[in-house]
Amino acid sequence: METKLLTQHYDKPEYQSLKGYQKLGGYEALKKAFSMKPQDIITEVKNAGLRGRGGAGFSTGMKWSFLPNNNEPRYLLCNADEGEPGTFKDRVMMERAPHQLIEGMIISAFAINSKKSYIYIRGEYMAPIKIVEKAIREVYDAGLLGKNILGSGFDHDMDVYRGAGAYIVGEETGLISSLEGKKGQPKLKPPFPAVQGYLKKPTIVNNVETLATVPWIITNGASEYKKYGTEKSPGTKLFSVSGNINKPGVYEVPLGIPFKDFLQNECGGMKPGYELKALIPGGSSCPVLTRDEALKSTMDYECMSQLGSMLGSGGVIIIDDKQCMVDLLNILMNFYHHESCGQCTPCREGTGWMNKITTSLLTKNGKLEDISLLHKIASHMLGTTICALSDAAAMPVMSFVTKFRDEFEYYAKEKRSKVKGDVHYAQAHH
Amino acid sequence: MSLTLPPESKSYIQKELKRYETKESALIPALFEAQKVFGLITPEVIDLLSKEMDIPTSRVNEVFEFYTMFNKSKVGKYHIQVCTNISCSMVGAREYMQALCEKLNVKPCEVTADGKFSVSTAECLGSCGTAPMAEVTSRDADEYHENLKINEIDKFLGKFK
Ligand SMILES: Cc1cc2nc3c(=O)[nH]c(=O)nc-3n(C[C@H](O)[C@H](O)[C@H](O)COP(=O)(O)O)c2cc1C
Ligand code: SF4
Ligand code: FES
């Protein structure tokens, strides 16, 4: 079922270079785009139904059309911060096909009339940073960036910005703060970045995968793109899969395929001796699904939302029967507590409490009431803060304690894991 | 003796100051450079950068404090960070981390007696399908090491001279 619209040439090392990319049809979409009106490019992307691949799944064409209709300078920022646990597709895209991203960005910049773009890459991604920087140099040398690109009259400059370690910078307004040389703290919305973003100028923030999909849509057209996927989730998506499966990795499949088939065919099934217990379908912020829910799910935005979860970033985390859900939730709470930027009380305090409570369960100090308390704290963290990190921390908690309550109760009563027994966790968290 | 930046670092920082739309955007690159040169960013280094970049020390410090890649305590020549977030822990990253600490005879965040290694945990590094994994940083390199195995720890450590 793998359907390689974007990843067709990913196994060819020469695809990384400008020459190799061009030989395989690269930058033809850009030429075509320059023969179109910017507004028509936006319409094409809108008609294709492309939804943002960074997590929220918002219509890309729609987002672009929120920009003010004037000549004010505006920025295009590519979000390559990729920090959501379980997610590693953007890294693969930048390493294998840096020019696909760059071409998508030039087309998108032309569509929204932006003269300057940045690719904000998380600081730990040294390998992708070097590859993308080299690709940008090649593109400048070939006259595909800079002044009057391909005689179109369109000028555009592009640069890479290296982050320095902070999950919250993946949130688009946090990313903007960071790029401005400040602490990477999110900003209150509205104003939305499309109206007032980087340096208070209209700004579009898009994920790597979103932008890298644009050349395909321009080359093949919206109606061709919609032949893949479902009505509400058109096209293909890259999923990064991890856990105790035979073939972890990144796979591009049409949206809407049954998870069951995906697990069997692309992922090669569970490792011998392991059974599927649960699924986090789209990165650590998405509510967990039980085995039964997972096996009847299809991998698209609407099914995941019907099941009370999200497709998110496409970070598919496969949880097997040897895992203790109390332990896994504690790992996540430790993470969100560490990554909360601290501006909002419900998020700062809530993540702290939830981390403390899950830790106390693991250290045999938990009480039965703690389980309801966890749920209650989480429910107060929804929708009350500057950014969605608070929700991202609360939603897993609510789903874990609701769907795997027996494991939490067992820990509270018996002071040991229902799954792992009396374990000493190899490593206490920081 | 007061600290000074080597000429190549100075010119790098001056270039970064002009590279972005605002000069404050050069703080992250400058802090990375300073960390490479001095190993650890002390209050004196913050002062030095503040003067070099003509940006108030409070601004330099705020950026330094915010990001995890700027070390807040001493690290070894090779700083090994093992991801212990969800996907990695499910396939044995914590056991690997423990074995590594035992091998080097250190606790997380400590430096070996010879100053060569330090080990700490890290949050998801975007390498969840090739876990356990570690990011190893040193003056000259910053690399991912993937598909680590406990019975290959000697071989892994042998890569670092
Ligand atoms: C806490 C948090 C972390 C996020 N991290 C990322 C990230 O690493 N990469 C990303 O593309 N989007 C991330 N997002 C989503 C961005 O805010 C934004 O919606 C996205 O970059 C928009 O691009 P898209 O429309 O192409 O998806 C994050 C959101 C939140 C709340
Ligand atoms: S919700 Fe949390 S991470 Fe987001 S701005 Fe508020 S405190 Fe910071
Ligand atoms: S969870 Fe360890 S690299 Fe992602």
Side-chain angles (χ1 to χ4, degrees):
Chain A
M1 272 296 254
E2 260 190 288
T3 302
K4 301 184 170 183
L5 307 189
L6 306 182
T7 57
Q8 189 188 358
H9 301 300
Y10 274 28
D11 51 1
K12 303 189 179 93
E14 68 269 24
Y15 204 55
Q16 240 193 33
S17 72
L18 178 61
K19 266 215 180 93
Y21 181 71
Q22 281 179 317
K23 220 181 218 154
L24 291 161
Y27 291 101
E28 290 301 318
L30 180 62
K31 286 182 197 150
K32 183 170 175 191
F34 283 146
S35 72
M36 297 167 71
K37 286 202 202 78
Q39 186 51 50
D40 295 342
I41 298 174
I42 299 180
T43 306
E44 200 66 29
V45 170
K46 210 187 263 175
N47 289 345
L50 175 62
R51 299 176 63 162
R53 303 297 194 220
F58 191 79
S59 157
T60 303
M62 190 87 87
K63 186 191 270 189
W64 292 358
S65 60
F66 291 155
L67 284 166
N69 197 0
N70 59 24
N71 284 326
E72 218 185 325
R74 66 253 336 251
Y75 293 95
L76 174 66
L77 307 181
C78 170
N79 189 341
D81 192 58
E82 193 164 67
E84 175 88 352
T87 315
F88 50 100
K89 55 162 184 103
D90 296 340
R91 177 180 163 212
V92 171
M93 296 195 93
M94 290 187 284
E95 287 181 349
R96 305 283 176 87
H99 287 286
Q100 199 174 53
L101 170 63
I102 295 168
E103 183 178 16
M105 287 183 66
I106 305 173
I107 297 171
S108 306
F110 176 65
I112 64 170
N113 190 23
S114 161
K115 304 217 170 337
K116 181 76 199 239
S117 61
Y118 285 103
I119 307 177
Y120 187 111
I121 309 181
R122 65 178 296 181
E124 295 88 345
Y125 275 6
M126 238 12 243
I129 288 172
K130 284 186 185 149
I131 291 167
V132 173
E133 282 186 334
K134 181 169 172 238
I136 291 179
R137 278 198 301 275
E138 286 179 309
V139 173
Y140 266 107
D141 290 345
L144 293 163
L145 273 173
K147 294 255 176 272
N148 190 18
I149 302 169
L150 295 174
S152 63
F154 178 65
D155 305 339
H156 189 76
D157 284 303
M158 189 181 293
D159 204 349
V160 167
Y161 192 76
R162 181 188 181 194
Y167 168 64
I168 194 56
V169 158
E171 197 280 336
E172 57 186 4
T173 56
L175 185 138
I176 288 169
S177 299
S178 179
L179 187 60
E180 289 170 342
K182 304 179 191 144
K183 292 190 273 190
Q185 287 182 325
K187 306 180 193 197
L188 207 58
K189 291 184 258 195
F192 287 93
V195 177
Q196 205 182 96
Y198 177 52
L199 302 175
K200 296 204 157 54
K201 295 281 183 285
T203 301
I204 293 295
V205 183
N206 274 131
N207 174 257
V208 172
E209 185 185 350
T210 311
L211 293 164
T213 306
V214 171
W216 197 97
I217 292 174
I218 295 307
T219 302
N220 301 282
S223 53
E224 196 59 25
Y225 191 69
K226 292 186 92 159
K227 287 188 183 154
Y228 302 92
T230 69
E231 193 196 332
K232 288 191 176 128
S233 309
T236 58
K237 161 119 193 67
L238 274 68
F239 290 97
S240 61
V241 205
S242 58
N244 281 301
I245 50 174
N246 286 318
K247 293 193 298 171
V250 174
Y251 301 100
E252 181 183 10
V253 293
L255 285 160
I257 74 161
F259 168 72
K260 201 175 158 191
D261 298 346
F262 179 72
L263 176 61
Q264 216 42 55
N265 303 337
E266 275 71 36
C267 312
M270 300 299 294
K271 266 191 208 159
Y274 292 86
E275 291 284 333
L276 176 71
K277 172 156 109 178
L279 166 70
I280 302 181
S284 65
S285 306
C286 303
V288 67
L289 301 179
T290 62
R291 175 193 165 88
D292 288 350
E293 287 170 330
L295 291 176
K296 66 173 191 225
S297 71
T298 52
M299 300 170 77
D300 50 68
Y301 296 96
E302 56 275 25
C303 177
M304 289 306 168
S305 120
Q306 267 162 25
L307 289 170
S309 188
M310 298 182 299
L311 198 70
S313 61
V316 178
I317 304 171
I318 309 254
I319 300 174
D320 61 79
D321 59 339
K322 309 277 188 290
Q323 307 302 328
C324 168
M325 299 306 270
V326 184
D327 174 34
L328 295 189
L329 187 64
N330 178 245
I331 292 177
L332 295 183
M333 288 311 109
N334 199 272
F335 169 72
Y336 287 107
H337 181 217
H338 182 252
E339 302 298 335
S340 166
C341 83
Q343 287 187 103
C344 322
T345 312
C347 174
R348 185 185 62 237
E349 301 298 322
T351 53
W353 285 338
M354 296 192 305
N355 185 24
K356 214 165 170 176
I357 295 171
T358 50
T359 303
S360 80
L361 280 166
L362 290 183
T363 51
K364 306 172 194 279
N365 298 312
K367 298 184 290 294
L368 217 45
E369 308 88 86
D370 287 347
I371 302 164
S372 316
L373 185 59
L374 267 176
H375 197 280
K376 194 169 154 197
I377 295 170
S379 67
H380 288 298
M381 290 171 66
L382 298 174
T384 56
T385 51
I386 293 177
C387 90
L389 184 139
S390 184
D391 304 72
M395 286 187 297
V397 171
M398 296 168 78
S399 62
F400 269 68
V401 301
T402 308
K403 294 178 185 178
F404 297 93
R405 195 171 179 100
D406 56 324
E407 288 193 33
F408 286 80
E409 286 182 354
Y410 192 93
Y411 230 122
K413 281 194 245 166
E414 310 291 335
K415 314 291 179 204
R416 59 195 160 92
S417 166
K418 190 174 177 187
V419 183
K420 298 197 172 207
D422 204 5
V423 284
H424 169 68
Y425 289 95
Q427 220 248 263
H429 293 291
H430 7 247
Chain B
M1 201 184 75
S2 68
L3 288 175
T4 48
L5 279 163
E8 61 276 16
S9 300
K10 277 191 176 213
S11 64
Y12 170 76
I13 291 171
Q14 289 307 323
K15 218 172 71 209
E16 291 295 296
L17 280 166
K18 295 191 196 85
R19 177 169 169 182
Y20 310 102
E21 329 293 279
T22 50
K23 71 176 192 177
E24 286 79 9
S25 305
L27 281 169
I28 286 181
L31 283 159
F32 272 125
E33 180 68 15
Q35 180 159 286
K36 203 163 95 180
V37 172
F38 301 113
L40 194 63
I41 293 167
T42 56
E44 294 74 53
V45 176
I46 300 272
D47 270 344
L48 185 68
L49 287 179
S50 163
K51 289 202 187 80
E52 182 67 28
M53 302 174 78
D54 194 22
I55 294 174
T57 49
S58 59
R59 289 281 290 108
V60 184
N61 202 51
E62 141 190 330
V63 171
F64 165 68
E65 291 281 342
F66 192 80
Y67 297 96
T68 55
M69 290 184 78
F70 302 129
N71 300 321
K72 308 298 182 296
S73 59
K74 213 168 153 21
V75 297
K77 182 176 172 200
Y78 297 98
H79 183 43
I80 308 174
Q81 289 170 280
V82 180
C83 170
T84 53
N85 210 308
I86 185 162
S87 303
C88 289
S89 280
M90 286 198 299
V91 301
R94 291 177 294 188
E95 289 75 11
Y96 185 85
M97 171 77 187
Q98 191 176 37
L100 193 60
C101 286
E102 277 165 17
K103 183 84 205 176
L104 291 169
N105 196 22
V106 287
K107 291 203 189 70
C109 300
E110 283 178 3
V111 184
T112 54
D114 60 2
K116 189 167 171 188
F117 291 108
S118 52
V119 188
S120 76
T121 57
E123 297 302 356
C124 178
L125 291 164
S127 190
C128 333
T130 37
M133 64 79 60
E135 177 187 8
V136 182
T137 53
S138 65
R139 240 187 118 109
D140 317 303
D142 185 343
E143 283 167 354
Y144 278 18
H145 298 263
E146 302 173 290
N147 296 309
L148 299 171
K149 294 185 181 64
I150 290 183
N151 60 13
E152 292 173 1
I153 285 186
D154 285 326
K155 195 172 115 197
F156 169 63
L157 291 174
K159 290 182 186 169
F160 310 105
K161 299 293 167 211

